PDB file of all heavy atoms in Angstrom:
ATOM      1  N   ARG A 167     253.671-103.516-109.846  1.00 40.00           N
ATOM      2  CA  ARG A 167     254.336-103.907-111.080  1.00 40.00           C
ATOM      3  C   ARG A 167     254.081-102.836-112.120  1.00 40.00           C
ATOM      4  O   ARG A 167     253.106-102.108-112.050  1.00 40.00           O
ATOM      5  CB  ARG A 167     253.765-105.215-111.608  1.00 40.00           C
ATOM      6  CG  ARG A 167     254.000-106.394-110.740  1.00 40.00           C
ATOM      7  CD  ARG A 167     253.431-107.586-111.432  1.00 40.00           C
ATOM      8  NE  ARG A 167     253.455-108.731-110.541  1.00 40.00           N
ATOM      9  CZ  ARG A 167     252.823-109.851-110.787  1.00 40.00           C
ATOM     10  NH1 ARG A 167     252.110-109.963-111.874  1.00 40.00           N
ATOM     11  NH2 ARG A 167     252.898-110.840-109.952  1.00 40.00           N
ATOM     12  N   PRO A 168     254.916-102.775-113.146  1.00 42.00           N
ATOM     13  CA  PRO A 168     254.614-101.829-114.223  1.00 42.00           C
ATOM     14  C   PRO A 168     253.278-102.197-114.861  1.00 42.00           C
ATOM     15  O   PRO A 168     253.035-103.347-115.180  1.00 42.00           O
ATOM     16  CB  PRO A 168     255.756-102.029-115.220  1.00 42.00           C
ATOM     17  CG  PRO A 168     256.839-102.717-114.447  1.00 42.00           C
ATOM     18  CD  PRO A 168     256.167-103.475-113.341  1.00 42.00           C
ATOM     19  N   ALA A 169     252.401-101.246-115.023  1.00 45.00           N
ATOM     20  CA  ALA A 169     251.080-101.496-115.591  1.00 45.00           C
ATOM     21  C   ALA A 169     251.183-101.653-117.098  1.00 45.00           C
ATOM     22  O   ALA A 169     252.009-101.009-117.739  1.00 45.00           O
ATOM     23  CB  ALA A 169     250.150-100.344-115.247  1.00 45.00           C
ATOM     24  N   PRO A 170     250.340-102.509-117.695  1.00 45.00           N
ATOM     25  CA  PRO A 170     250.316-102.592-119.147  1.00 45.00           C
ATOM     26  C   PRO A 170     249.972-101.221-119.710  1.00 45.00           C
ATOM     27  O   PRO A 170     249.070-100.552-119.232  1.00 45.00           O
ATOM     28  CB  PRO A 170     249.194-103.601-119.435  1.00 45.00           C
ATOM     29  CG  PRO A 170     249.069-104.395-118.175  1.00 45.00           C
ATOM     30  CD  PRO A 170     249.444-103.460-117.070  1.00 45.00           C
ATOM     31  N   THR A 171     250.706-100.822-120.739  1.00 46.00           N
ATOM     32  CA  THR A 171     250.565 -99.453-121.219  1.00 46.00           C
ATOM     33  C   THR A 171     249.452 -99.275-122.237  1.00 46.00           C
ATOM     34  O   THR A 171     248.760 -98.280-122.219  1.00 46.00           O
ATOM     35  CB  THR A 171     251.894 -98.978-121.820  1.00 46.00           C
ATOM     36  OG1 THR A 171     252.304 -99.920-122.820  1.00 46.00           O
ATOM     37  CG2 THR A 171     252.959 -98.881-120.749  1.00 46.00           C
ATOM     38  N   SER A 172     249.278-100.224-123.131  1.00 44.00           N
ATOM     39  CA  SER A 172     248.242-100.029-124.143  1.00 44.00           C
ATOM     40  C   SER A 172     247.838-101.367-124.727  1.00 44.00           C
ATOM     41  O   SER A 172     248.556-102.346-124.628  1.00 44.00           O
ATOM     42  CB  SER A 172     248.770 -99.126-125.253  1.00 44.00           C
ATOM     43  OG  SER A 172     249.863 -99.746-125.901  1.00 44.00           O
ATOM     44  N   ALA A 173     246.691-101.369-125.356  1.00 46.00           N
ATOM     45  CA  ALA A 173     246.219-102.579-126.023  1.00 46.00           C
ATOM     46  C   ALA A 173     246.795-102.613-127.432  1.00 46.00           C
ATOM     47  O   ALA A 173     246.844-101.608-128.123  1.00 46.00           O
ATOM     48  CB  ALA A 173     244.707-102.585-126.074  1.00 46.00           C
ATOM     49  N   ILE A 174     247.254-103.782-127.820  1.00 47.00           N
ATOM     50  CA  ILE A 174     247.717-103.990-129.182  1.00 47.00           C
ATOM     51  C   ILE A 174     246.472-104.174-130.039  1.00 47.00           C
ATOM     52  O   ILE A 174     245.425-104.544-129.546  1.00 47.00           O
ATOM     53  CB  ILE A 174     248.641-105.222-129.242  1.00 47.00           C
ATOM     54  CG1 ILE A 174     249.826-105.021-128.293  1.00 47.00           C
ATOM     55  CG2 ILE A 174     249.123-105.491-130.649  1.00 47.00           C
ATOM     56  CD1 ILE A 174     250.686-106.247-128.120  1.00 47.00           C
ATOM     57  N   GLY A 175     246.556-103.963-131.328  1.00 51.00           N
ATOM     58  CA  GLY A 175     245.408-103.998-132.210  1.00 51.00           C
ATOM     59  C   GLY A 175     244.534-105.233-132.109  1.00 51.00           C
ATOM     60  O   GLY A 175     243.357-105.193-132.390  1.00 51.00           O
ATOM     61  N   ASP A 176     245.098-106.376-131.700  1.00 54.00           N
ATOM     62  CA  ASP A 176     244.293-107.593-131.640  1.00 54.00           C
ATOM     63  C   ASP A 176     243.624-107.794-130.282  1.00 54.00           C
ATOM     64  O   ASP A 176     243.079-108.851-129.998  1.00 54.00           O
ATOM     65  CB  ASP A 176     245.140-108.812-132.005  1.00 54.00           C
ATOM     66  CG  ASP A 176     246.349-108.982-131.102  1.00 54.00           C
ATOM     67  OD1 ASP A 176     246.500-108.202-130.149  1.00 54.00           O
ATOM     68  OD2 ASP A 176     247.141-109.908-131.360  1.00 54.00           O
ATOM     69  N   GLY A 177     243.645-106.784-129.411  1.00 54.00           N
ATOM     70  CA  GLY A 177     242.946-106.875-128.134  1.00 54.00           C
ATOM     71  C   GLY A 177     243.806-107.347-126.976  1.00 54.00           C
ATOM     72  O   GLY A 177     243.345-107.379-125.850  1.00 54.00           O
ATOM     73  N   PHE A 178     245.052-107.731-127.226  1.00 54.00           N
ATOM     74  CA  PHE A 178     245.928-108.160-126.148  1.00 54.00           C
ATOM     75  C   PHE A 178     246.647-106.964-125.550  1.00 54.00           C
ATOM     76  O   PHE A 178     246.919-105.977-126.226  1.00 54.00           O
ATOM     77  CB  PHE A 178     246.962-109.182-126.644  1.00 54.00           C
ATOM     78  CG  PHE A 178     246.349-110.515-126.952  1.00 54.00           C
ATOM     79  CD1 PHE A 178     245.991-110.843-128.240  1.00 54.00           C
ATOM     80  CD2 PHE A 178     246.127-111.435-125.945  1.00 54.00           C
ATOM     81  CE1 PHE A 178     245.411-112.055-128.528  1.00 54.00           C
ATOM     82  CE2 PHE A 178     245.550-112.653-126.219  1.00 54.00           C
ATOM     83  CZ  PHE A 178     245.192-112.976-127.510  1.00 54.00           C
ATOM     84  N   MET A 179     246.963-107.047-124.262  1.00 56.00           N
ATOM     85  CA  MET A 179     247.664-105.971-123.587  1.00 56.00           C
ATOM     86  C   MET A 179     249.158-106.085-123.845  1.00 56.00           C
ATOM     87  O   MET A 179     249.695-107.182-123.934  1.00 56.00           O
ATOM     88  CB  MET A 179     247.428-106.037-122.065  1.00 56.00           C
ATOM     89  CG  MET A 179     245.966-105.932-121.657  1.00 56.00           C
ATOM     90  SD  MET A 179     245.218-104.366-122.057  1.00 56.00           S
ATOM     91  CE  MET A 179     245.989-103.324-120.875  1.00 56.00           C
ATOM     92  N   ASN A 180     249.841-104.950-123.944  1.00 59.00           N
ATOM     93  CA  ASN A 180     251.282-104.914-124.069  1.00 59.00           C
ATOM     94  C   ASN A 180     251.865-104.982-122.665  1.00 59.00           C
ATOM     95  O   ASN A 180     251.656-104.086-121.865  1.00 59.00           O
ATOM     96  CB  ASN A 180     251.703-103.614-124.770  1.00 59.00           C
ATOM     97  CG  ASN A 180     253.194-103.534-124.952  1.00 59.00           C
ATOM     98  OD1 ASN A 180     253.868-104.558-124.942  1.00 59.00           O
ATOM     99  ND2 ASN A 180     253.709-102.328-125.121  1.00 59.00           N
ATOM    100  N   ILE A 181     252.579-106.051-122.337  1.00 58.00           N
ATOM    101  CA  ILE A 181     253.145-106.239-121.002  1.00 58.00           C
ATOM    102  C   ILE A 181     254.611-105.837-121.038  1.00 58.00           C
ATOM    103  O   ILE A 181     255.376-106.338-121.863  1.00 58.00           O
ATOM    104  CB  ILE A 181     252.998-107.702-120.540  1.00 58.00           C
ATOM    105  CG1 ILE A 181     251.513-108.075-120.514  1.00 58.00           C
ATOM    106  CG2 ILE A 181     253.647-107.911-119.185  1.00 58.00           C
ATOM    107  CD1 ILE A 181     251.258-109.519-120.215  1.00 58.00           C
ATOM    108  N   PRO A 182     255.036-104.947-120.138  1.00 59.00           N
ATOM    109  CA  PRO A 182     256.435-104.505-120.115  1.00 59.00           C
ATOM    110  C   PRO A 182     257.392-105.656-119.831  1.00 59.00           C
ATOM    111  O   PRO A 182     257.018-106.649-119.217  1.00 59.00           O
ATOM    112  CB  PRO A 182     256.473-103.484-118.972  1.00 59.00           C
ATOM    113  CG  PRO A 182     255.058-103.094-118.747  1.00 59.00           C
ATOM    114  CD  PRO A 182     254.224-104.256-119.158  1.00 59.00           C
ATOM    115  N   ASP A 183     258.657-105.499-120.260  1.00 58.00           N
ATOM    116  CA  ASP A 183     259.679-106.511-120.025  1.00 58.00           C
ATOM    117  C   ASP A 183     259.892-106.726-118.536  1.00 58.00           C
ATOM    118  O   ASP A 183     259.812-105.804-117.739  1.00 58.00           O
ATOM    119  CB  ASP A 183     261.010-106.091-120.662  1.00 58.00           C
ATOM    120  CG  ASP A 183     260.937-106.094-122.180  1.00 58.00           C
ATOM    121  OD1 ASP A 183     260.065-106.803-122.732  1.00 58.00           O
ATOM    122  OD2 ASP A 183     261.749-105.392-122.818  1.00 58.00           O
ATOM    123  N   GLY A 184     260.183-107.976-118.148  1.00 55.00           N
ATOM    124  CA  GLY A 184     260.526-108.295-116.765  1.00 55.00           C
ATOM    125  C   GLY A 184     259.337-108.571-115.863  1.00 55.00           C
ATOM    126  O   GLY A 184     259.503-108.842-114.693  1.00 55.00           O
TER     127      GLY A 184
END
Side-chain angles (χ1 to χ4, degrees):
R167 295 182 188 168
T171 54
S172 63
I174 302 172
D176 58 4
F178 289 97
M179 301 296 288
N180 181 22
I181 300 174
D183 292 337

